[in-house]
Amino acid sequence: MKRAKISIIGAGNVGATTAHWCAAAELGDIVLLDIPELGTVPQGKSLDLSQAGPIMGFDSAIIGTSDYADTAGSDVVVVTAGIPRKPGMSRDDLLATNARIVSKVAEQIKHTSPQAIVIVVSNPLDAMVQRLWQVTGFEPRRVMGQAGVLDSARFRTFVARELGVSVEDVSAMLLGGHGDTMVPLTSCCTVGGIPVAQLIAPQRMAEIVQRTRDGGAEIVGLLKTGSAYYAPAAATAQMVEAIVRDKKRLIACAAHCDREYGVGGYFVGVPVVLGGNGVERIIEIQMTGEERAQFDKSAAAVRALVETMERLLGG
Ligand code: APR
């Protein structure tokens, strides 16, 4: 059977680490692309990673490039291109800069890999995924954003540590935008099948929820010069795996919701079935009144972010 072709746009921390996890799991052949200004860095990282193959036991072919021709006919494209927020830069400056970068990347993907399934990782995530969808014009099921897997992994890590149990036994679902307004559904969190409310008191749970919401900022605060990449990349690789192995994973990701959850045409974090066709189904679940109110607030924040992006881009 033919190996999947996975192209990763942006060979920085998240991009290169996604290549690493994808290679380690032998998910397919990998193309790591960055801008020509970066010189031969993607080639260097790819060669280095390839040489881990004999040790780790993977046969994935990995190449680095700045030429989109090398990405042609990709089955999956992961977009991590962008710049991090720099001192003195406003949120809107970052939004406009990354929206322009993602627009250029989307134009290229549209022409070189017209059948690809695209996972957007660049921030601000909810706006970047909307932009990529607008520019490519791909069916909504083939465009998604990585946020929910990462956010729920952070939540699961904190719950497992709190209880002194394996992270494997903690199951969780987080909805909404990838930001301060994300909605950890404590009503859906179980530990070995036991509802978490039976194990952790509400006040402590609220602290864990808040730490999860601040999860990205906590790491930026520690790293000082960049943002998280191991867990974001691992989350992205899990989504790639769900697609190339047609796993039908039930996970949260930023998916295009129209009538679903009454969102009205935006990408918001929701539970989906992710498989070989991309977002195969969006699962609508019942929330408590409070969770629903938080979700609506989060969806409104996503709408506002997209409107700001469209204004900054001039339509
Ligand atoms: N095309 C391709 N790559 C680009 C482009 C472009 N037009 N513009 C910038 N890049 C590349 C940069 O050259 C850089 O190598 O994107 C890469 C980004 O890498 P890092 O700066 O290391 O950032 P990283 O930590 O990987 O984060 C990337 O993912 O999680 C999000 O918030 C994060 O938006 C950020 C993105």
Side-chain angles (χ1 to χ4, degrees):
M1 196 191 285
K2 189 176 147 288
R3 283 193 216 156
K5 180 168 179 177
I6 303 156
S7 289
I8 301 171
I9 313 302
N13 282 336
V14 176
T17 312
T18 302
H20 178 177
W21 294 119
C22 288
E26 225 174 18
L27 298 182
D29 292 337
I30 298 166
V31 181
L32 196 54
L33 180 144
D34 211 298
I35 46 177
E37 291 84 329
L38 211 61
T40 53
V41 169
Q43 287 85 341
K45 290 188 180 182
S46 301
L47 184 60
D48 186 13
L49 184 54
S50 304
Q51 292 165 354
I55 305 164
M56 302 306 294
F58 60 77
D59 277 312
S60 299
I62 308 159
I63 62 159
T65 186
S66 55
D67 184 351
Y68 275 90
D70 292 320
T71 70
S74 296
D75 299 294
V76 180
V77 179
V78 174
V79 178
T80 74
I83 59 155
R85 193 163 160 188
K86 297 188 180 131
M89 201 178 194
S90 74
R91 236 172 229 276
D92 281 2
D93 289 342
L94 179 76
L95 179 61
T97 303
N98 281 354
R100 289 195 185 95
I101 290 174
V102 168
S103 303
K104 280 193 223 152
V105 170
E107 276 296 343
Q108 296 285 351
I109 296 170
K110 180 179 170 180
H111 295 295
T112 44
S113 295
Q115 304 304 324
I117 293 173
V118 186
I119 304 170
V120 180
V121 189
S122 310
N123 274 316
L125 190 269
D126 308 291
M128 295 306 108
V129 62
Q130 186 91 17
R131 185 68 192 155
L132 186 126
W133 172 68
Q134 288 168 343
V135 174
T136 57
F138 288 177
E139 305 106 283
R141 70 170 175 84
R142 288 203 283 132
V143 178
M144 67 207 74
Q146 186 292 114
V149 177
L150 169 63
D151 294 332
S152 48
R154 286 182 171 147
F155 187 64
R156 289 167 65 195
T157 305
F158 298 142
V159 168
R161 281 193 189 175
E162 178 69 15
L163 295 170
V165 301
S166 168
V167 290
E168 288 182 58
D169 293 324
V170 183
S171 177
M173 179 56 70
L174 281 87
L175 308 186
H178 181 50
D180 311 338
T181 60
M182 74 177 77
V183 189
L185 294 183
T186 46
S187 64
C188 291
C189 178
T190 57
V191 184
I194 303 162
V196 76
Q198 294 188 25
L199 304 170
I200 302 179
Q203 200 187 336
R204 183 69 188 126
M205 206 59 213
E207 289 168 8
I208 291 173
V209 165
Q210 194 53 44
R211 190 171 177 197
T212 304
R213 287 206 177 104
D214 298 337
E218 183 176 0
I219 290 176
V220 169
L222 292 166
L223 293 178
K224 314 275 190 234
T225 55
S227 50
Y229 53 98
Y230 288 115
T236 307
Q238 186 178 80
M239 292 175 69
V240 173
E241 182 185 34
I243 295 164
V244 301
R245 300 207 167 127
D246 191 22
K247 301 245 322 171
K248 321 260 185 230
R249 293 294 306 263
L250 201 164
I251 56 170
C253 76
H256 187 264
C257 296
D258 198 356
R259 276 166 305 172
E260 297 89 352
Y261 292 96
V263 168
Y266 294 86
F267 286 80
V268 179
V270 287
V272 305
V273 175
L274 190 60
N277 294 313
V279 174
E280 300 189 351
R281 262 184 298 151
I282 292 173
I283 310 279
E284 292 202 67
I285 55 170
Q286 285 195 346
M287 295 182 232
T288 65
E290 197 195 326
E291 286 167 349
R292 180 72 216 197
Q294 286 180 22
F295 179 86
D296 289 344
K297 194 173 145 210
S298 191
V302 169
R303 269 196 297 278
L305 182 73
V306 168
E307 279 161 17
T308 305
M309 174 181 73
E310 287 171 350
R311 181 172 50 74
L312 293 169
L313 291 174

PDB file of all heavy atoms in Angstrom, residues 9-15 33-35 38 68 80-84 98 101 104-105 121-123 227-229 232, ligand 1:
ATOM      1  N   ILE A   9       4.088  22.682   6.838  1.00  0.00           N
ATOM      2  CA  ILE A   9       4.489  24.017   6.392  1.00  0.00           C
ATOM      3  C   ILE A   9       4.909  24.814   7.621  1.00  0.00           C
ATOM      4  O   ILE A   9       4.091  25.042   8.528  1.00  0.00           O
ATOM      5  CB  ILE A   9       3.321  24.728   5.652  1.00  0.00           C
ATOM      6  CG1 ILE A   9       2.662  23.791   4.620  1.00  0.00           C
ATOM      7  CG2 ILE A   9       3.817  26.033   5.024  1.00  0.00           C
ATOM      8  CD1 ILE A   9       3.576  23.249   3.550  1.00  0.00           C
ATOM      9  N   GLY A  10       6.166  25.251   7.625  1.00  0.00           N
ATOM     10  CA  GLY A  10       6.746  25.888   8.808  1.00  0.00           C
ATOM     11  C   GLY A  10       7.610  24.842   9.499  1.00  0.00           C
ATOM     12  O   GLY A  10       7.086  23.869  10.056  1.00  0.00           O
ATOM     13  N   ALA A  11       8.928  25.032   9.409  1.00  0.00           N
ATOM     14  CA  ALA A  11       9.861  24.041   9.976  1.00  0.00           C
ATOM     15  C   ALA A  11      10.458  24.545  11.284  1.00  0.00           C
ATOM     16  O   ALA A  11      11.598  24.253  11.609  1.00  0.00           O
ATOM     17  CB  ALA A  11      10.958  23.725   8.960  1.00  0.00           C
ATOM     18  N   GLY A  12       9.683  25.311  12.023  1.00  0.00           N
ATOM     19  CA  GLY A  12      10.131  25.824  13.316  1.00  0.00           C
ATOM     20  C   GLY A  12       9.920  24.774  14.396  1.00  0.00           C
ATOM     21  O   GLY A  12       9.927  23.566  14.124  1.00  0.00           O
ATOM     22  N   ASN A  13       9.693  25.246  15.617  1.00  0.00           N
ATOM     23  CA  ASN A  13       9.588  24.304  16.741  1.00  0.00           C
ATOM     24  C   ASN A  13       8.412  23.346  16.592  1.00  0.00           C
ATOM     25  O   ASN A  13       8.572  22.133  16.740  1.00  0.00           O
ATOM     26  CB  ASN A  13       9.441  25.084  18.054  1.00  0.00           C
ATOM     27  CG  ASN A  13      10.770  25.635  18.534  1.00  0.00           C
ATOM     28  OD1 ASN A  13      11.833  25.115  18.185  1.00  0.00           O
ATOM     29  ND2 ASN A  13      10.720  26.685  19.330  1.00  0.00           N
ATOM     30  N   VAL A  14       7.232  23.890  16.318  1.00  0.00           N
ATOM     31  CA  VAL A  14       6.057  23.007  16.237  1.00  0.00           C
ATOM     32  C   VAL A  14       6.147  22.126  14.988  1.00  0.00           C
ATOM     33  O   VAL A  14       5.881  20.918  15.039  1.00  0.00           O
ATOM     34  CB  VAL A  14       4.739  23.817  16.240  1.00  0.00           C
ATOM     35  CG1 VAL A  14       3.543  22.887  16.065  1.00  0.00           C
ATOM     36  CG2 VAL A  14       4.591  24.609  17.526  1.00  0.00           C
ATOM     37  N   GLY A  15       6.561  22.724  13.868  1.00  0.00           N
ATOM     38  CA  GLY A  15       6.626  21.971  12.611  1.00  0.00           C
ATOM     39  C   GLY A  15       7.625  20.820  12.695  1.00  0.00           C
ATOM     40  O   GLY A  15       7.304  19.673  12.367  1.00  0.00           O
ATOM     41  N   LEU A  33       8.587  22.082   4.998  1.00  0.00           N
ATOM     42  CA  LEU A  33       8.817  23.265   4.149  1.00  0.00           C
ATOM     43  C   LEU A  33       8.887  24.542   4.971  1.00  0.00           C
ATOM     44  O   LEU A  33       8.109  24.735   5.906  1.00  0.00           O
ATOM     45  CB  LEU A  33       7.691  23.375   3.124  1.00  0.00           C
ATOM     46  CG  LEU A  33       7.767  24.556   2.135  1.00  0.00           C
ATOM     47  CD1 LEU A  33       7.259  24.139   0.753  1.00  0.00           C
ATOM     48  CD2 LEU A  33       6.983  25.777   2.627  1.00  0.00           C
ATOM     49  N   ASP A  34       9.821  25.398   4.609  1.00  0.00           N
ATOM     50  CA  ASP A  34       9.854  26.742   5.211  1.00  0.00           C
ATOM     51  C   ASP A  34      10.199  27.746   4.121  1.00  0.00           C
ATOM     52  O   ASP A  34      10.399  27.372   2.954  1.00  0.00           O
ATOM     53  CB  ASP A  34      10.839  26.784   6.391  1.00  0.00           C
ATOM     54  CG  ASP A  34      10.399  27.777   7.475  1.00  0.00           C
ATOM     55  OD1 ASP A  34      10.315  28.978   7.180  1.00  0.00           O
ATOM     56  OD2 ASP A  34      10.138  27.337   8.614  1.00  0.00           O
ATOM     57  N   ILE A  35      10.266  29.014   4.489  1.00  0.00           N
ATOM     58  CA  ILE A  35      10.539  30.071   3.504  1.00  0.00           C
ATOM     59  C   ILE A  35      12.014  30.031   3.061  1.00  0.00           C
ATOM     60  O   ILE A  35      12.872  29.627   3.839  1.00  0.00           O
ATOM     61  CB  ILE A  35      10.192  31.463   4.087  1.00  0.00           C
ATOM     62  CG1 ILE A  35      10.761  31.607   5.511  1.00  0.00           C
ATOM     63  CG2 ILE A  35       8.708  31.674   4.096  1.00  0.00           C
ATOM     64  CD1 ILE A  35      10.547  32.955   6.156  1.00  0.00           C
ATOM     65  N   LEU A  38      15.006  31.128   5.217  1.00  0.00           N
ATOM     66  CA  LEU A  38      15.534  30.267   6.284  1.00  0.00           C
ATOM     67  C   LEU A  38      16.701  29.412   5.784  1.00  0.00           C
ATOM     68  O   LEU A  38      17.279  28.639   6.542  1.00  0.00           O
ATOM     69  CB  LEU A  38      14.410  29.376   6.826  1.00  0.00           C
ATOM     70  CG  LEU A  38      14.483  28.987   8.301  1.00  0.00           C
ATOM     71  CD1 LEU A  38      14.436  30.201   9.206  1.00  0.00           C
ATOM     72  CD2 LEU A  38      13.348  28.020   8.656  1.00  0.00           C
ATOM     73  N   TYR A  68       7.277  24.500  -2.969  1.00  0.00           N
ATOM     74  CA  TYR A  68       5.985  23.810  -2.825  1.00  0.00           C
ATOM     75  C   TYR A  68       5.821  22.641  -3.804  1.00  0.00           C
ATOM     76  O   TYR A  68       5.006  21.746  -3.568  1.00  0.00           O
ATOM     77  CB  TYR A  68       4.828  24.794  -2.980  1.00  0.00           C
ATOM     78  CG  TYR A  68       4.505  25.502  -1.678  1.00  0.00           C
ATOM     79  CD1 TYR A  68       5.128  26.705  -1.355  1.00  0.00           C
ATOM     80  CD2 TYR A  68       3.604  24.962  -0.773  1.00  0.00           C
ATOM     81  CE1 TYR A  68       4.847  27.351  -0.159  1.00  0.00           C
ATOM     82  CE2 TYR A  68       3.328  25.596   0.422  1.00  0.00           C
ATOM     83  CZ  TYR A  68       3.943  26.800   0.722  1.00  0.00           C
ATOM     84  OH  TYR A  68       3.665  27.419   1.912  1.00  0.00           O
ATOM     85  N   THR A  80       1.942  25.176  10.235  1.00  0.00           N
ATOM     86  CA  THR A  80       2.457  25.771  11.474  1.00  0.00           C
ATOM     87  C   THR A  80       3.169  27.094  11.171  1.00  0.00           C
ATOM     88  O   THR A  80       3.853  27.636  12.024  1.00  0.00           O
ATOM     89  CB  THR A  80       3.465  24.836  12.187  1.00  0.00           C
ATOM     90  OG1 THR A  80       4.704  24.840  11.458  1.00  0.00           O
ATOM     91  CG2 THR A  80       2.966  23.416  12.293  1.00  0.00           C
ATOM     92  N   ALA A  81       3.015  27.589   9.946  1.00  0.00           N
ATOM     93  CA  ALA A  81       3.722  28.810   9.542  1.00  0.00           C
ATOM     94  C   ALA A  81       3.181  30.010  10.299  1.00  0.00           C
ATOM     95  O   ALA A  81       1.984  30.116  10.546  1.00  0.00           O
ATOM     96  CB  ALA A  81       3.553  29.019   8.043  1.00  0.00           C
ATOM     97  N   GLY A  82       4.074  30.898  10.633  1.00  0.00           N
ATOM     98  CA  GLY A  82       3.640  32.116  11.308  1.00  0.00           C
ATOM     99  C   GLY A  82       4.780  32.702  12.094  1.00  0.00           C
ATOM    100  O   GLY A  82       5.877  32.151  12.113  1.00  0.00           O
ATOM    101  N   ILE A  83       4.496  33.819  12.707  1.00  0.00           N
ATOM    102  CA  ILE A  83       5.517  34.379  13.600  1.00  0.00           C
ATOM    103  C   ILE A  83       4.946  34.401  15.012  1.00  0.00           C
ATOM    104  O   ILE A  83       3.740  34.528  15.200  1.00  0.00           O
ATOM    105  CB  ILE A  83       5.957  35.804  13.190  1.00  0.00           C
ATOM    106  CG1 ILE A  83       4.765  36.773  13.193  1.00  0.00           C
ATOM    107  CG2 ILE A  83       6.644  35.811  11.839  1.00  0.00           C
ATOM    108  CD1 ILE A  83       5.193  38.201  13.388  1.00  0.00           C
ATOM    109  N   PRO A  84       5.800  34.260  15.998  1.00  0.00           N
ATOM    110  CA  PRO A  84       5.306  34.387  17.374  1.00  0.00           C
ATOM    111  C   PRO A  84       5.131  35.865  17.716  1.00  0.00           C
ATOM    112  O   PRO A  84       5.672  36.725  17.017  1.00  0.00           O
ATOM    113  CB  PRO A  84       6.428  33.758  18.205  1.00  0.00           C
ATOM    114  CG  PRO A  84       7.642  33.800  17.346  1.00  0.00           C
ATOM    115  CD  PRO A  84       7.211  33.947  15.914  1.00  0.00           C
ATOM    116  N   ASN A  98      -0.013  37.029  10.755  1.00  0.00           N
ATOM    117  CA  ASN A  98      -0.178  35.589  10.541  1.00  0.00           C
ATOM    118  C   ASN A  98      -1.300  35.292   9.542  1.00  0.00           C
ATOM    119  O   ASN A  98      -1.216  34.317   8.792  1.00  0.00           O
ATOM    120  CB  ASN A  98      -0.385  34.863  11.872  1.00  0.00           C
ATOM    121  CG  ASN A  98       0.946  34.654  12.595  1.00  0.00           C
ATOM    122  OD1 ASN A  98       2.002  34.952  12.054  1.00  0.00           O
ATOM    123  ND2 ASN A  98       0.894  34.147  13.812  1.00  0.00           N
ATOM    124  N   ILE A 101       0.335  35.501   6.243  1.00  0.00           N
ATOM    125  CA  ILE A 101       1.180  34.314   6.020  1.00  0.00           C
ATOM    126  C   ILE A 101       0.305  33.106   5.675  1.00  0.00           C
ATOM    127  O   ILE A 101       0.547  32.400   4.695  1.00  0.00           O
ATOM    128  CB  ILE A 101       2.056  34.033   7.271  1.00  0.00           C
ATOM    129  CG1 ILE A 101       3.135  35.117   7.407  1.00  0.00           C
ATOM    130  CG2 ILE A 101       2.677  32.642   7.212  1.00  0.00           C
ATOM    131  CD1 ILE A 101       3.969  35.030   8.681  1.00  0.00           C
ATOM    132  N   LYS A 104      -1.068  33.177   2.148  1.00  0.00           N
ATOM    133  CA  LYS A 104      -0.087  32.786   1.112  1.00  0.00           C
ATOM    134  C   LYS A 104       0.089  31.268   1.098  1.00  0.00           C
ATOM    135  O   LYS A 104       0.130  30.650   0.039  1.00  0.00           O
ATOM    136  CB  LYS A 104       1.289  33.417   1.427  1.00  0.00           C
ATOM    137  CG  LYS A 104       1.411  34.858   1.013  1.00  0.00           C
ATOM    138  CD  LYS A 104       2.894  35.257   1.086  1.00  0.00           C
ATOM    139  CE  LYS A 104       3.018  36.630   1.712  1.00  0.00           C
ATOM    140  NZ  LYS A 104       4.245  36.902   2.409  1.00  0.00           N
ATOM    141  N   VAL A 105       0.174  30.702   2.279  1.00  0.00           N
ATOM    142  CA  VAL A 105       0.343  29.236   2.391  1.00  0.00           C
ATOM    143  C   VAL A 105      -0.878  28.542   1.775  1.00  0.00           C
ATOM    144  O   VAL A 105      -0.754  27.575   1.012  1.00  0.00           O
ATOM    145  CB  VAL A 105       0.527  28.842   3.875  1.00  0.00           C
ATOM    146  CG1 VAL A 105       0.448  27.342   4.063  1.00  0.00           C
ATOM    147  CG2 VAL A 105       1.850  29.394   4.418  1.00  0.00           C
ATOM    148  N   VAL A 121      -2.397  24.817  12.649  1.00  0.00           N
ATOM    149  CA  VAL A 121      -1.905  24.906  14.027  1.00  0.00           C
ATOM    150  C   VAL A 121      -1.526  26.359  14.369  1.00  0.00           C
ATOM    151  O   VAL A 121      -1.478  26.743  15.527  1.00  0.00           O
ATOM    152  CB  VAL A 121      -0.681  23.979  14.235  1.00  0.00           C
ATOM    153  CG1 VAL A 121      -0.292  23.895  15.713  1.00  0.00           C
ATOM    154  CG2 VAL A 121      -0.947  22.574  13.706  1.00  0.00           C
ATOM    155  N   SER A 122      -1.268  27.176  13.342  1.00  0.00           N
ATOM    156  CA  SER A 122      -0.825  28.559  13.559  1.00  0.00           C
ATOM    157  C   SER A 122      -1.850  29.328  14.378  1.00  0.00           C
ATOM    158  O   SER A 122      -3.060  29.137  14.226  1.00  0.00           O
ATOM    159  CB  SER A 122      -0.634  29.270  12.225  1.00  0.00           C
ATOM    160  OG  SER A 122       0.161  28.506  11.353  1.00  0.00           O
ATOM    161  N   ASN A 123      -1.352  30.217  15.203  1.00  0.00           N
ATOM    162  CA  ASN A 123      -2.228  31.048  16.049  1.00  0.00           C
ATOM    163  C   ASN A 123      -2.371  32.464  15.511  1.00  0.00           C
ATOM    164  O   ASN A 123      -1.498  32.916  14.780  1.00  0.00           O
ATOM    165  CB  ASN A 123      -1.636  31.097  17.462  1.00  0.00           C
ATOM    166  CG  ASN A 123      -2.104  29.913  18.287  1.00  0.00           C
ATOM    167  OD1 ASN A 123      -3.279  29.562  18.260  1.00  0.00           O
ATOM    168  ND2 ASN A 123      -1.190  29.292  19.011  1.00  0.00           N
ATOM    169  N   SER A 227       6.925  29.634  22.377  1.00  0.00           N
ATOM    170  CA  SER A 227       5.735  29.020  22.974  1.00  0.00           C
ATOM    171  C   SER A 227       5.866  27.505  22.910  1.00  0.00           C
ATOM    172  O   SER A 227       6.818  26.964  22.345  1.00  0.00           O
ATOM    173  CB  SER A 227       4.482  29.539  22.276  1.00  0.00           C
ATOM    174  OG  SER A 227       4.609  29.441  20.891  1.00  0.00           O
ATOM    175  N   ALA A 228       4.871  26.841  23.485  1.00  0.00           N
ATOM    176  CA  ALA A 228       4.904  25.377  23.628  1.00  0.00           C
ATOM    177  C   ALA A 228       5.043  24.682  22.277  1.00  0.00           C
ATOM    178  O   ALA A 228       4.522  25.186  21.273  1.00  0.00           O
ATOM    179  CB  ALA A 228       3.615  24.923  24.297  1.00  0.00           C
ATOM    180  N   TYR A 229       5.735  23.562  22.267  1.00  0.00           N
ATOM    181  CA  TYR A 229       5.773  22.805  21.010  1.00  0.00           C
ATOM    182  C   TYR A 229       5.724  21.288  21.154  1.00  0.00           C
ATOM    183  O   TYR A 229       5.197  20.623  20.289  1.00  0.00           O
ATOM    184  CB  TYR A 229       6.963  23.217  20.137  1.00  0.00           C
ATOM    185  CG  TYR A 229       8.317  23.183  20.794  1.00  0.00           C
ATOM    186  CD1 TYR A 229       9.173  22.107  20.622  1.00  0.00           C
ATOM    187  CD2 TYR A 229       8.749  24.244  21.572  1.00  0.00           C
ATOM    188  CE1 TYR A 229      10.435  22.093  21.206  1.00  0.00           C
ATOM    189  CE2 TYR A 229      10.006  24.243  22.172  1.00  0.00           C
ATOM    190  CZ  TYR A 229      10.845  23.155  21.984  1.00  0.00           C
ATOM    191  OH  TYR A 229      12.085  23.154  22.573  1.00  0.00           O
ATOM    192  N   PRO A 232       1.818  20.543  21.613  1.00  0.00           N
ATOM    193  CA  PRO A 232       1.078  20.906  20.392  1.00  0.00           C
ATOM    194  C   PRO A 232       1.427  19.991  19.217  1.00  0.00           C
ATOM    195  O   PRO A 232       0.560  19.592  18.432  1.00  0.00           O
ATOM    196  CB  PRO A 232       1.532  22.347  20.105  1.00  0.00           C
ATOM    197  CG  PRO A 232       1.959  22.885  21.437  1.00  0.00           C
ATOM    198  CD  PRO A 232       2.522  21.713  22.192  1.00  0.00           C
TER     199      PRO A 232
HETATM  200  N1  APR B   1       5.625  29.944   4.724  1.00  0.00           N
HETATM  201  C1  APR B   1       6.193  28.927   5.401  1.00  0.00           C
HETATM  202  N2  APR B   1       6.731  29.067   6.627  1.00  0.00           N
HETATM  203  C2  APR B   1       6.714  30.285   7.175  1.00  0.00           C
HETATM  204  C3  APR B   1       6.126  31.402   6.528  1.00  0.00           C
HETATM  205  C4  APR B   1       5.564  31.189   5.244  1.00  0.00           C
HETATM  206  N3  APR B   1       4.985  32.173   4.550  1.00  0.00           N
HETATM  207  N4  APR B   1       6.269  32.472   7.333  1.00  0.00           N
HETATM  208  C5  APR B   1       6.907  32.060   8.445  1.00  0.00           C
HETATM  209  N5  APR B   1       7.177  30.730   8.349  1.00  0.00           N
HETATM  210  C6  APR B   1       7.893  29.864   9.275  1.00  0.00           C
HETATM  211  C7  APR B   1       9.042  30.583   9.992  1.00  0.00           C
HETATM  212  O1  APR B   1      10.149  30.786   9.131  1.00  0.00           O
HETATM  213  C8  APR B   1       9.331  29.621  11.137  1.00  0.00           C
HETATM  214  O2  APR B   1      10.347  28.687  10.816  1.00  0.00           O
HETATM  215  O3  APR B   1       7.104  29.380  10.313  1.00  0.00           O
HETATM  216  C9  APR B   1       7.988  28.876  11.321  1.00  0.00           C
HETATM  217  C10 APR B   1       7.387  29.101  12.694  1.00  0.00           C
HETATM  218  O4  APR B   1       8.219  28.495  13.606  1.00  0.00           O
HETATM  219  P1  APR B   1       8.529  29.078  15.080  1.00  0.00           P
HETATM  220  O5  APR B   1       8.820  30.535  14.977  1.00  0.00           O
HETATM  221  O6  APR B   1       9.521  28.155  15.724  1.00  0.00           O
HETATM  222  O7  APR B   1       7.121  28.972  15.807  1.00  0.00           O
HETATM  223  P2  APR B   1       6.478  27.657  16.461  1.00  0.00           P
HETATM  224  O8  APR B   1       6.804  27.597  17.894  1.00  0.00           O
HETATM  225  O9  APR B   1       6.784  26.489  15.607  1.00  0.00           O
HETATM  226  O10 APR B   1       4.931  28.014  16.336  1.00  0.00           O
HETATM  227  C11 APR B   1       4.301  28.049  15.069  1.00  0.00           C
HETATM  228  O11 APR B   1       2.188  27.284  15.852  1.00  0.00           O
HETATM  229  O12 APR B   1       1.388  26.784  17.969  1.00  0.00           O
HETATM  230  C12 APR B   1       1.462  27.764  16.966  1.00  0.00           C
HETATM  231  O13 APR B   1       1.429  29.852  18.198  1.00  0.00           O
HETATM  232  C13 APR B   1       2.204  29.001  17.422  1.00  0.00           C
HETATM  233  O14 APR B   1       1.532  30.379  15.541  1.00  0.00           O
HETATM  234  C14 APR B   1       2.595  29.612  16.107  1.00  0.00           C
HETATM  235  C15 APR B   1       2.841  28.380  15.229  1.00  0.00           C
END
